[in-house]
Protein backbone atom coordinates (compact mmCIF):
# COMPACT_ATOMS: atom_id res chain seq x y z
CA UNK A 1 0.00 0.00 0.00
CA UNK A 2 1.17 3.51 -0.75
CA UNK A 3 2.32 5.54 2.24
CA UNK A 4 -0.39 7.91 3.44
CA UNK A 5 0.36 11.59 3.53
CA UNK A 6 -0.41 13.21 6.86
CA UNK A 7 -1.86 16.64 7.57
CA UNK A 8 0.58 19.39 8.56
CA UNK A 9 1.23 19.38 12.31
CA UNK A 10 -1.13 21.68 14.18
CA UNK A 11 -3.57 21.90 11.28
CA UNK A 12 -6.75 19.97 11.89
CA UNK A 13 -9.53 18.42 9.89
CA UNK A 14 -13.04 19.12 11.08
CA UNK A 15 -15.29 16.11 10.54
CA UNK A 16 -19.03 15.51 10.33
CA UNK A 17 -20.33 15.45 13.87
CA UNK A 18 -18.12 18.40 14.72
CA UNK A 19 -18.86 20.47 11.63
CA UNK A 20 -22.47 20.75 12.81
CA UNK A 21 -21.27 22.35 16.03
CA UNK A 22 -19.12 24.79 14.05
CA UNK A 23 -22.03 25.66 11.76
CA UNK A 24 -24.23 26.34 14.74
CA UNK A 25 -21.58 28.52 16.36
CA UNK A 26 -21.02 30.41 13.12
CA UNK A 27 -24.78 30.94 12.68
CA UNK A 28 -25.11 32.33 16.19
CA UNK A 29 -22.15 34.65 15.64
CA UNK A 30 -23.53 35.94 12.33
CA UNK A 31 -27.03 36.46 13.70
CA UNK A 32 -25.85 38.18 16.84
CA UNK A 33 -23.54 40.70 15.17
CA UNK A 34 -26.18 41.36 12.52
CA UNK A 35 -28.51 42.33 15.35
CA UNK A 36 -26.08 45.20 16.08
CA UNK A 37 -25.98 46.30 12.43
CA UNK A 38 -22.47 44.99 11.68
CA UNK A 39 -21.51 43.95 8.17
CA UNK A 40 -19.21 41.21 6.98
CA UNK A 41 -15.88 41.92 5.31
CA UNK A 42 -13.80 39.22 3.58
CA UNK A 43 -10.13 39.56 2.81
CA UNK A 44 -7.28 37.36 1.55
CA UNK A 45 -5.47 34.74 3.61
CA UNK A 46 -2.08 35.77 2.21
CA UNK A 47 -0.70 39.29 2.57
CA UNK A 48 2.62 41.12 2.24
CA UNK A 49 4.88 40.29 5.16
CA UNK A 50 5.44 44.01 5.74
CA UNK A 51 1.80 44.49 6.68
CA UNK A 52 2.22 42.40 9.82
CA UNK A 53 5.69 43.66 10.66
CA UNK A 54 4.50 47.25 10.55
CA UNK A 55 1.28 46.72 12.48
CA UNK A 56 1.73 43.96 15.03
CA UNK A 57 5.27 45.11 15.82
CA UNK A 58 8.71 43.63 15.12
CA UNK A 59 9.27 42.66 18.75
CA UNK A 60 6.19 40.57 19.41
CA UNK A 61 5.72 36.82 19.71
CA UNK A 62 3.79 36.76 16.45
CA UNK A 63 6.31 38.56 14.28
CA UNK A 64 9.43 37.25 16.01
CA UNK A 65 8.61 33.58 15.89
CA UNK A 66 5.11 32.63 14.81
CA UNK A 67 4.57 33.76 11.23
CA UNK A 68 4.34 31.50 8.21
CA UNK A 69 6.43 33.58 5.87
CA UNK A 70 7.61 32.51 2.43
CA UNK A 71 8.88 33.87 -0.79
CA UNK A 72 6.55 33.38 -3.74
CA UNK A 73 7.65 32.67 -7.29
CA UNK A 74 8.14 36.37 -7.99
CA UNK A 75 10.43 36.74 -5.00
CA UNK A 76 7.91 38.70 -2.88
CA UNK A 77 7.81 38.01 0.84
CA UNK A 78 4.31 36.86 1.73
CA UNK A 79 2.79 35.71 5.02
CA UNK A 80 -0.23 33.59 5.90
CA UNK A 81 -2.29 35.97 7.98
CA UNK A 82 -1.69 35.45 11.72
CA UNK A 83 -4.61 37.72 12.65
CA UNK A 84 -7.31 39.84 11.04
CA UNK A 85 -7.04 43.38 12.38
CA UNK A 86 -4.07 44.48 10.30
CA UNK A 87 -5.62 42.94 7.19
CA UNK A 88 -8.94 44.62 7.86
CA UNK A 89 -7.20 47.99 8.15
CA UNK A 90 -5.24 47.34 4.97
CA UNK A 91 -8.46 46.42 3.13
CA UNK A 92 -10.32 49.40 4.62
CA UNK A 93 -7.60 51.84 3.55
CA UNK A 94 -7.22 50.34 0.12
CA UNK A 95 -10.96 50.36 -0.61
CA UNK A 96 -11.68 53.79 0.83
CA UNK A 97 -13.89 52.51 3.64
CA UNK A 98 -12.28 54.39 6.47
CA UNK A 99 -11.60 58.02 5.64
CA UNK A 100 -14.30 60.24 7.14
CA UNK A 101 -16.61 57.28 7.65
CA UNK A 102 -17.89 55.02 10.35
CA UNK A 103 -17.67 51.28 9.85
CA UNK A 104 -18.87 48.39 11.95
CA UNK A 105 -17.40 45.25 10.43
CA UNK A 106 -16.92 41.57 11.21
CA UNK A 107 -14.91 38.73 9.66
CA UNK A 108 -14.39 35.05 10.24
CA UNK A 109 -11.80 32.61 8.98
CA UNK A 110 -8.53 30.75 9.40
CA UNK A 111 -5.38 32.30 10.88
CA UNK A 112 -1.89 30.79 10.95
CA UNK A 113 0.76 30.85 13.65
CA UNK A 114 3.75 28.57 14.03
CA UNK A 115 3.29 27.72 17.72
CA UNK A 116 3.68 24.50 19.69
CA UNK A 117 0.41 22.66 19.07
CA UNK A 118 -1.51 21.71 22.21
CA UNK A 119 -5.10 21.77 23.39
CA UNK A 120 -6.58 25.12 22.38
CA UNK A 121 -3.46 26.14 20.46
CA UNK A 122 -3.00 25.18 16.83
CA UNK A 123 -1.06 26.30 13.79
CA UNK A 124 -4.16 26.82 11.72
CA UNK A 125 -6.96 28.13 13.90
CA UNK A 126 -10.04 30.24 13.32
CA UNK A 127 -11.02 33.63 14.55
CA UNK A 128 -14.25 35.53 14.54
CA UNK A 129 -13.47 39.22 14.77
CA UNK A 130 -15.18 42.59 14.91
CA UNK A 131 -13.59 45.92 13.95
CA UNK A 132 -15.17 49.34 14.20
CA UNK A 133 -13.73 52.50 12.66
CA UNK A 134 -14.30 56.21 12.96
CA UNK A 135 -15.65 56.42 16.51
CA UNK A 136 -13.38 57.73 19.24
CA UNK A 137 -15.74 57.74 22.23
CA UNK A 138 -16.09 54.98 24.80
CA UNK A 139 -19.66 54.17 23.75
CA UNK A 140 -18.31 52.03 20.94
CA UNK A 141 -15.78 50.28 23.22
CA UNK A 142 -18.75 49.45 25.43
CA UNK A 143 -20.81 48.27 22.46
CA UNK A 144 -18.28 45.71 21.27
CA UNK A 145 -17.84 44.42 24.83
CA UNK A 146 -21.61 44.20 25.29
CA UNK A 147 -21.76 42.26 22.06
CA UNK A 148 -19.28 39.71 23.38
CA UNK A 149 -21.26 39.44 26.62
CA UNK A 150 -24.40 38.75 24.59
CA UNK A 151 -22.56 36.07 22.64
CA UNK A 152 -21.66 34.20 25.85
CA UNK A 153 -25.33 34.38 26.83
CA UNK A 154 -26.39 33.01 23.45
CA UNK A 155 -23.93 30.15 23.86
CA UNK A 156 -25.01 29.53 27.45
CA UNK A 157 -21.52 29.95 28.89
CA UNK A 158 -21.77 33.34 30.65
CA UNK A 159 -20.98 31.87 34.04
CA UNK A 160 -17.76 30.28 32.76
CA UNK A 161 -16.08 33.41 31.38
CA UNK A 162 -14.91 36.56 33.04
CA UNK A 163 -13.95 39.94 31.63
CA UNK A 164 -10.61 41.58 32.36
CA UNK A 165 -10.18 45.20 31.45
CA UNK A 166 -7.40 47.76 31.41
CA UNK A 167 -6.40 51.05 29.85
CA UNK A 168 -3.02 51.54 28.23
CA UNK A 169 -3.52 55.29 27.91
CA UNK A 170 -2.28 57.44 25.08
CA UNK A 171 0.89 56.59 23.20
CA UNK A 172 2.70 59.39 25.05
CA UNK A 173 1.50 58.16 28.44
CA UNK A 174 2.52 54.66 27.53
CA UNK A 175 5.98 55.86 26.46
CA UNK A 176 6.40 57.65 29.81
CA UNK A 177 5.32 54.58 31.68
CA UNK A 178 7.64 52.48 29.59
CA UNK A 179 10.60 54.58 30.74
CA UNK A 180 9.54 54.29 34.38
CA UNK A 181 9.10 50.54 34.04
CA UNK A 182 12.46 50.05 32.31
CA UNK A 183 14.17 52.06 35.05
CA UNK A 184 12.56 49.79 37.65
CA UNK A 185 13.41 46.60 35.75
CA UNK A 186 17.03 47.70 35.28
CA UNK A 187 17.37 48.09 39.04
CA UNK A 188 16.20 44.50 39.50
CA UNK A 189 17.76 42.96 36.45
CA UNK A 190 19.42 40.10 38.36
CA UNK A 191 15.99 38.89 39.51
CA UNK A 192 14.60 38.66 35.96
CA UNK A 193 14.51 35.51 33.85
CA UNK A 194 16.05 35.42 30.38
CA UNK A 195 12.78 36.09 28.62
CA UNK A 196 12.04 39.16 30.70
CA UNK A 197 15.61 40.45 30.34
CA UNK A 198 15.24 40.23 26.60
CA UNK A 199 11.85 41.96 26.64
CA UNK A 200 13.00 44.63 29.10
CA UNK A 201 14.52 46.66 26.28
CA UNK A 202 12.65 45.43 23.23
CA UNK A 203 9.06 45.38 24.54
CA UNK A 204 9.11 46.10 28.29
CA UNK A 205 5.34 46.11 28.81
CA UNK A 206 5.30 42.46 27.86
CA UNK A 207 7.31 41.72 31.02
CA UNK A 208 4.08 42.50 32.88
CA UNK A 209 2.39 39.39 31.56
CA UNK A 210 5.30 37.08 32.33
CA UNK A 211 4.07 33.69 33.53
CA UNK A 212 7.06 33.35 35.90
CA UNK A 213 5.88 33.64 39.56
CA UNK A 214 9.20 35.18 40.68
CA UNK A 215 8.95 37.89 38.05
CA UNK A 216 5.34 38.44 39.05
CA UNK A 217 6.33 38.81 42.73
CA UNK A 218 8.91 41.41 41.76
CA UNK A 219 6.33 43.31 39.71
CA UNK A 220 4.18 43.91 42.80
CA UNK A 221 6.46 46.89 43.53
CA UNK A 222 6.79 48.07 39.95
CA UNK A 223 5.38 51.44 38.87
CA UNK A 224 1.75 51.19 37.83
CA UNK A 225 0.39 51.97 34.41
CA UNK A 226 -2.67 53.63 35.96
CA UNK A 227 -0.41 56.17 37.68
CA UNK A 228 0.82 57.32 34.28
CA UNK A 229 -2.49 57.58 32.45
CA UNK A 230 -3.26 60.88 30.76
CA UNK A 231 -6.46 62.66 31.83
CA UNK A 232 -8.31 61.99 28.60
CA UNK A 233 -7.61 58.28 28.76
CA UNK A 234 -8.66 58.25 32.41
CA UNK A 235 -11.98 59.86 31.48
CA UNK A 236 -12.41 57.48 28.56
CA UNK A 237 -11.84 54.50 30.82
CA UNK A 238 -14.19 55.85 33.50
CA UNK A 239 -16.88 56.36 30.87
CA UNK A 240 -16.43 52.82 29.58
CA UNK A 241 -16.70 51.42 33.11
CA UNK A 242 -19.83 53.47 33.75
CA UNK A 243 -21.42 52.09 30.60
CA UNK A 244 -20.54 48.51 31.48
CA UNK A 245 -21.93 49.02 34.99
CA UNK A 246 -25.15 50.44 33.55
CA UNK A 247 -25.50 47.42 31.26
CA UNK A 248 -24.78 45.00 34.10
CA UNK A 249 -21.58 43.62 32.53
CA UNK A 250 -19.16 42.57 35.26
CA UNK A 251 -15.42 43.06 34.85
CA UNK A 252 -12.18 43.10 36.75
CA UNK A 253 -9.61 45.78 36.12
CA UNK A 254 -6.31 43.99 35.55
CA UNK A 255 -3.46 46.49 35.54
CA UNK A 256 -1.09 43.92 34.09
CA UNK A 257 -3.19 43.29 31.03
CA UNK A 258 -1.19 44.79 28.15
CA UNK A 259 -1.87 42.42 25.22
CA UNK A 260 0.89 41.16 23.00
CA UNK A 261 0.41 43.40 20.02
CA UNK A 262 1.92 46.84 19.62
CA UNK A 263 -1.00 48.67 18.10
CA UNK A 264 -3.31 48.99 21.11
CA UNK A 265 -3.95 52.19 23.06
CA UNK A 266 -6.48 53.01 25.79
CA UNK A 267 -8.95 50.12 26.18
CA UNK A 268 -7.72 46.54 26.19
CA UNK A 269 -9.79 43.57 27.31
CA UNK A 270 -9.80 39.80 27.48
CA UNK A 271 -12.46 37.23 28.23
CA UNK A 272 -10.87 34.37 30.12
CA UNK A 273 -12.07 31.00 31.31
CA UNK A 274 -10.85 28.41 33.78
CA UNK A 275 -12.44 25.66 31.66
CA UNK A 276 -9.65 25.29 29.11
CA UNK A 277 -6.49 24.88 31.19
CA UNK A 278 -3.54 27.00 30.12
CA UNK A 279 -5.19 28.33 26.96
CA UNK A 280 -7.71 30.38 28.92
CA UNK A 281 -8.26 33.42 26.73
CA UNK A 282 -11.25 32.96 24.42
CA UNK A 283 -11.59 36.51 23.21
CA UNK A 284 -9.34 39.54 23.23
CA UNK A 285 -9.48 43.04 21.91
CA UNK A 286 -9.07 46.73 22.39
CA UNK A 287 -8.68 50.16 20.90
CA UNK A 288 -6.09 50.89 18.20
CA UNK A 289 -6.46 54.53 17.24
CA UNK A 290 -3.03 54.81 15.64
CA UNK A 291 -3.05 51.79 13.36
CA UNK A 292 -4.93 53.16 10.36
CA UNK A 293 -2.51 56.06 10.06
CA UNK A 294 0.46 53.81 10.73
CA UNK A 295 -0.60 51.74 7.72
CA UNK A 296 -0.84 54.73 5.44
CA UNK A 297 -4.43 55.91 5.94
CA UNK A 298 -5.79 59.09 7.50
CA UNK A 299 -5.91 59.02 11.31
CA UNK A 300 -9.03 57.02 12.24
CA UNK A 301 -10.00 55.79 15.69
CA UNK A 302 -10.77 52.09 15.89
CA UNK A 303 -11.71 49.37 18.34
CA UNK A 304 -12.30 45.64 17.92
CA UNK A 305 -11.81 42.11 19.18
CA UNK A 306 -11.03 38.60 17.99
CA UNK A 307 -12.41 35.36 19.36
CA UNK A 308 -10.68 31.98 19.05
CA UNK A 309 -13.28 29.60 17.65
CA UNK A 310 -11.48 26.35 18.50
CA UNK A 311 -11.39 27.46 22.13
CA UNK A 312 -15.06 28.41 22.02
CA UNK A 313 -16.08 25.07 20.47
CA UNK A 314 -13.92 23.18 23.01
CA UNK A 315 -15.68 25.03 25.82
CA UNK A 316 -19.12 24.28 24.44
CA UNK A 317 -18.21 20.59 24.18
CA UNK A 318 -16.61 20.30 27.60
CA UNK A 319 -19.34 22.22 29.37
CA UNK A 320 -22.01 20.31 27.44
CA UNK A 321 -23.45 23.54 26.13
CA UNK A 322 -23.60 22.54 22.48
CA UNK A 323 -27.39 22.24 22.60
CA UNK A 324 -29.48 20.56 19.95
CA UNK A 325 -27.96 19.75 16.61
CA UNK A 326 -30.29 19.57 13.63
CA UNK A 327 -30.62 16.04 12.16
CA UNK A 328 -28.73 15.56 8.89
CA UNK A 329 -31.77 13.80 7.40
CA UNK A 330 -35.46 13.82 8.35
CA UNK A 331 -36.61 11.30 5.77
CA UNK A 332 -34.95 8.33 4.11
CA UNK A 333 -36.51 7.25 0.83
CA UNK A 334 -36.26 3.57 -0.02
CA UNK A 335 -37.44 2.06 -3.30
CA UNK A 336 -38.44 -1.50 -4.08
CA UNK A 337 -37.93 -2.46 -7.71
CA UNK A 338 -36.44 -0.75 -10.74
CA UNK A 339 -39.42 1.45 -11.55
CA UNK A 340 -39.69 2.71 -8.00
CA UNK A 341 -35.97 3.37 -7.91
CA UNK A 342 -36.35 5.68 -10.91
CA UNK A 343 -39.29 7.46 -9.27
CA UNK A 344 -37.77 7.81 -5.78
CA UNK A 345 -35.46 10.76 -6.55
CA UNK A 346 -38.24 12.43 -8.55
CA UNK A 347 -40.61 12.24 -5.58
CA UNK A 348 -37.80 13.39 -3.28
CA UNK A 349 -37.25 16.47 -5.42
CA UNK A 350 -40.95 17.26 -5.15
CA UNK A 351 -40.86 16.86 -1.37
CA UNK A 352 -37.89 19.24 -1.09
CA UNK A 353 -39.85 21.78 -3.12
CA UNK A 354 -43.09 21.35 -1.20
CA UNK A 355 -41.81 21.06 2.36
CA UNK A 356 -39.42 23.89 3.04
CA UNK A 357 -36.38 22.89 5.05
CA UNK A 358 -37.09 19.15 4.86
CA UNK A 359 -33.95 17.02 4.66
CA UNK A 360 -34.54 14.11 2.33
CA UNK A 361 -31.94 11.39 1.81
CA UNK A 362 -32.58 9.00 -1.05
CA UNK A 363 -31.21 5.48 -0.96
CA UNK A 364 -28.52 4.87 -3.56
CA UNK A 365 -26.56 1.78 -4.50
CA UNK A 366 -29.43 -0.71 -4.87
CA UNK A 367 -29.99 -3.70 -2.65
CA UNK A 368 -32.94 -5.52 -1.20
CA UNK A 369 -35.56 -4.29 1.26
CA UNK A 370 -33.56 -5.37 4.28
CA UNK A 371 -30.41 -3.59 3.18
CA UNK A 372 -32.26 -0.39 2.38
CA UNK A 373 -34.00 -0.36 5.74
CA UNK A 374 -30.69 -0.95 7.49
CA UNK A 375 -29.34 2.15 5.77
CA UNK A 376 -32.45 4.07 6.74
CA UNK A 377 -31.90 3.02 10.32
CA UNK A 378 -28.25 4.09 10.23
CA UNK A 379 -29.17 7.51 8.89
CA UNK A 380 -30.45 10.25 11.16
CA UNK A 381 -33.93 10.04 9.63
CA UNK A 382 -37.04 9.76 11.76
CA UNK A 383 -39.08 8.05 9.06
CA UNK A 384 -38.48 5.93 6.01
CA UNK A 385 -40.67 6.45 2.97
CA UNK A 386 -41.03 3.15 1.18
CA UNK A 387 -41.95 3.21 -2.48
CA UNK A 388 -43.19 -0.08 -3.86
CA UNK A 389 -44.45 -0.76 -7.37
CA UNK A 390 -48.06 -1.27 -6.25
CA UNK A 391 -48.15 1.82 -4.08
CA UNK A 392 -46.60 3.89 -6.84
CA UNK A 393 -49.28 2.81 -9.29
CA UNK A 394 -51.86 4.19 -6.83
CA UNK A 395 -49.88 7.36 -6.07
CA UNK A 396 -49.18 6.21 -2.52
CA UNK A 397 -46.19 5.63 -0.22
CA UNK A 398 -45.65 3.71 2.98
CA UNK A 399 -44.37 5.64 5.98
CA UNK A 400 -42.32 3.61 8.43
CA UNK A 401 -41.41 5.18 11.74
CA UNK A 402 -37.78 4.49 12.57
CA UNK A 403 -37.44 5.93 16.07
CA UNK A 404 -40.80 5.23 17.71
CA UNK A 405 -43.15 2.30 18.17
CA UNK A 406 -45.82 3.32 15.70
CA UNK A 407 -47.63 1.26 13.08
CA UNK A 408 -46.47 1.97 9.55
CA UNK A 409 -49.10 3.56 7.36
CA UNK A 410 -49.74 3.87 3.66
CA UNK A 411 -50.89 7.30 2.54
CA UNK A 412 -51.26 9.38 -0.62
CA UNK A 413 -48.42 11.63 -1.78
CA UNK A 414 -50.50 14.66 -0.87
CA UNK A 415 -51.02 13.40 2.68
CA UNK A 416 -47.38 12.58 3.14
CA UNK A 417 -46.46 16.22 2.67
CA UNK A 418 -48.56 17.29 5.65
CA UNK A 419 -47.13 14.48 7.67
CA UNK A 420 -43.53 15.47 6.86
CA UNK A 421 -44.07 19.14 7.56
CA UNK A 422 -43.99 18.31 11.24
CA UNK A 423 -40.51 16.80 10.92
CA UNK A 424 -38.68 19.93 9.82
CA UNK A 425 -38.49 21.47 13.25
P1 LIG B 1 -2.38 33.59 23.62
O1 LIG B 1 -1.93 34.46 24.74
O2 LIG B 1 -3.27 32.45 24.05
O3 LIG B 1 -1.25 33.15 22.72
P2 LIG B 1 -2.85 35.78 21.84
O4 LIG B 1 -2.77 36.97 22.71
O5 LIG B 1 -1.69 35.39 21.00
O6 LIG B 1 -3.33 34.50 22.71
P3 LIG B 1 -4.66 37.05 20.00
O7 LIG B 1 -3.64 37.34 18.99
O8 LIG B 1 -5.20 38.14 20.81
O9 LIG B 1 -4.16 35.87 20.94
O10 LIG B 1 -5.88 36.28 19.31
C1 LIG B 1 -7.21 36.34 19.81
C2 LIG B 1 -7.72 34.98 20.19
O11 LIG B 1 -7.42 34.00 19.19
C3 LIG B 1 -7.09 34.40 21.43
O12 LIG B 1 -7.69 34.91 22.57
C4 LIG B 1 -7.38 32.92 21.27
O13 LIG B 1 -8.69 32.62 21.66
C5 LIG B 1 -7.23 32.73 19.79
N1 LIG B 1 -5.90 32.19 19.44
C6 LIG B 1 -4.73 32.86 19.36
N2 LIG B 1 -3.74 32.04 18.97
C7 LIG B 1 -4.31 30.81 18.82
C8 LIG B 1 -3.81 29.53 18.41
N3 LIG B 1 -2.53 29.34 18.09
N4 LIG B 1 -4.68 28.49 18.38
C9 LIG B 1 -5.98 28.65 18.69
N5 LIG B 1 -6.51 29.83 19.06
C10 LIG B 1 -5.69 30.91 19.13
MG1 LIG C 1 -0.15 33.98 21.20
Amino acid sequence: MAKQIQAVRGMNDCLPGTTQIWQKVEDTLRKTVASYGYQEIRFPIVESTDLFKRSIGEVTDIVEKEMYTFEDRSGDSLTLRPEGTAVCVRAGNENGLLYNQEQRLWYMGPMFRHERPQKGRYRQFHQFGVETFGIASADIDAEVILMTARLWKEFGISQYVRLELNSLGSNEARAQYRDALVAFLEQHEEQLDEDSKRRMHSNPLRVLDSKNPEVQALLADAPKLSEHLDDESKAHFANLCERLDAAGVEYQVNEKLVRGLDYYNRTVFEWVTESLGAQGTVCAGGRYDGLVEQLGGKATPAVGFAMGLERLVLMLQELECVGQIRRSADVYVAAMGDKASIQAPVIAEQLRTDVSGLRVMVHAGGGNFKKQLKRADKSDALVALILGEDELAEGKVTVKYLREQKEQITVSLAEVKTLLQALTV
Side-chain angles (χ1 to χ4, degrees):
M1 251 201 305
K3 190 167 176 274
Q4 284 189 7
I5 295 171
Q6 309 280 309
V8 177
R9 196 165 120 81
M11 306 207 179
N12 301 314
D13 302 307
C14 187
L15 306 179
T18 311
T19 46
Q20 286 99 315
I21 303 175
W22 278 78
Q23 286 172 358
K24 205 174 153 181
V25 165
E26 290 159 6
D27 279 351
T28 305
L29 291 166
R30 282 197 191 93
K31 277 192 197 132
T32 307
V33 292
S35 77
Y36 288 76
Y38 284 56
Q39 286 184 293
E40 186 182 11
I41 179 165
R42 301 188 183 194
F43 31 68
I45 284 172
V46 181
E47 295 278 342
S48 295
T49 302
D50 279 345
L51 173 63
F52 303 112
K53 285 196 178 166
R54 260 168 72 181
S55 54
I56 299 169
E58 298 262 7
V59 194
T60 54
D61 285 351
I62 295 181
V63 173
E64 273 186 339
K65 48 188 189 201
E66 295 174 358
M67 293 208 300
Y68 277 91
T69 296
F70 61 97
E71 217 174 75
D72 77 355
R73 288 172 194 276
S74 334
D76 295 324
S77 180
L78 303 181
T79 294
L80 299 186
R81 61 183 192 198
E83 59 117 40
T85 303
V87 189
C88 191
V89 171
R90 198 272 306 138
N93 275 339
E94 193 166 335
N95 295 287
L97 301 184
L98 306 184
Y99 179 56
N100 246 345
Q101 293 174 71
E102 284 176 8
Q103 294 290 351
R104 289 166 153 102
L105 305 172
W106 66 270
Y107 62 84
M108 181 154 57
M111 305 293 163
F112 302 83
R113 297 185 195 178
H114 196 274
E115 303 193 69
R116 192 170 68 76
Q118 53 199 290
K119 183 179 161 195
R121 192 176 293 287
Y122 312 99
R123 291 181 171 176
Q124 173 172 328
F125 62 101
H126 297 76
Q127 283 184 340
F128 172 82
V130 155
E131 316 289 357
T132 73
F133 297 96
I135 307 164
S137 45
D139 45 3
I140 194 72
D141 308 43
E143 176 171 288
V144 299
I145 292 176
L146 241 61
M147 179 189 276
T148 50
R150 171 171 289 273
L151 284 169
W152 310 136
K153 243 182 245 160
E154 296 281 345
F155 290 120
I157 56 173
S158 295
Q159 74 259 47
Y160 305 105
V161 288
R162 101 190 121 71
L163 174 61
E164 295 197 352
L165 198 60
N166 195 19
S167 176
L168 300 177
S170 65
N171 290 341
E172 300 76 45
R174 197 151 57 125
Q176 264 181 27
Y177 173 66
R178 196 184 142 114
D179 293 343
L181 183 64
V182 171
F184 171 85
L185 294 173
E186 277 172 343
Q187 274 170 18
H188 300 87
E189 189 162 354
E190 71 289 354
Q191 289 161 267
L192 295 176
D193 57 17
E194 282 311 308
D195 221 28
S196 301
K197 272 186 201 159
R198 198 172 52 82
R199 284 176 171 168
M200 178 170 78
H201 294 293
S202 56
N203 194 349
L205 264 63
R206 286 306 305 277
V207 177
L208 294 180
D209 58 21
S210 163
K211 303 264 188 302
N212 184 336
E214 283 164 36
V215 174
Q216 277 305 331
L218 174 71
L219 289 171
D221 301 322
K224 295 221 166 0
L225 189 50
S226 58
E227 290 158 5
H228 290 259
L229 284 192
D230 51 299
D231 289 342
E232 276 184 42
S233 295
K234 265 189 204 155
H236 186 98
F237 193 59
N239 189 257
L240 169 60
C241 292
E242 188 184 349
R243 288 171 182 279
L244 295 179
D245 292 338
V249 175
E250 285 176 31
Y251 54 88
Q252 289 161 331
V253 176
N254 174 359
E255 287 226 28
K256 300 222 179 86
L257 183 65
V258 292
R259 310 276 307 115
L261 300 81
D262 273 0
Y263 51 61
Y264 288 112
N265 67 302
R266 292 201 174 154
T267 312
V268 286
F269 66 92
E270 284 191 356
W271 285 94
V272 290
T273 180
E274 316 301 327
S275 317
L276 291 178
Q279 271 54 252
T281 308
V282 272
C283 174
R287 183 165 274 284
Y288 51 96
D289 295 332
L291 185 60
V292 175
E293 197 176 16
Q294 200 180 314
L295 290 176
K298 288 257 166 33
T300 307
V303 58
F305 66 78
M307 191 177 281
L309 296 186
E310 279 77 6
R311 293 185 194 177
L312 175 58
V313 169
L314 267 172
M315 269 188 89
L316 294 177
Q317 288 172 316
E318 290 189 6
L319 298 165
E320 296 181 5
C321 290
V322 170
Q324 248 201 322
I325 296 291
R326 176 89 165 80
R327 283 184 300 277
S328 56
D330 303 309
V331 186
Y332 193 94
V333 181
M336 304 306 143
D338 291 344
K339 253 199 204 143
S341 136
I342 301 280
Q343 280 312 304
V346 179
I347 289 171
E349 287 300 333
Q350 197 55 48
L351 289 175
R352 293 186 191 105
T353 305
D354 292 343
V355 185
S356 161
L358 188 69
R359 297 180 170 184
V360 188
M361 190 181 263
V362 181
H363 181 83
N368 59 21
F369 186 66
K370 208 173 140 201
K371 175 179 168 188
Q372 294 197 32
L373 273 193
K374 227 179 179 168
R375 285 284 154 75
D377 223 29
K378 259 190 124 171
S379 80
D380 256 3
L382 294 178
V383 299
L385 287 193
I386 302 160
L387 307 183
E389 311 270 292
D390 298 346
E391 289 134 326
L392 263 184
E394 295 170 46
K396 288 187 168 173
V397 289
T398 296
V399 180
K400 182 176 164 57
Y401 293 88
L402 299 168
R403 318 285 166 208
E404 48 187 334
Q405 297 291 341
K406 229 164 143 181
E407 275 297 297
Q408 68 176 45
I409 46 172
T410 299
V411 294
S412 74
L413 282 170
E415 282 170 301
V416 89
K417 268 183 234 162
T418 328
L419 207 141
L420 295 180
Q421 229 121 32
L423 298 184
T424 59
V425 280

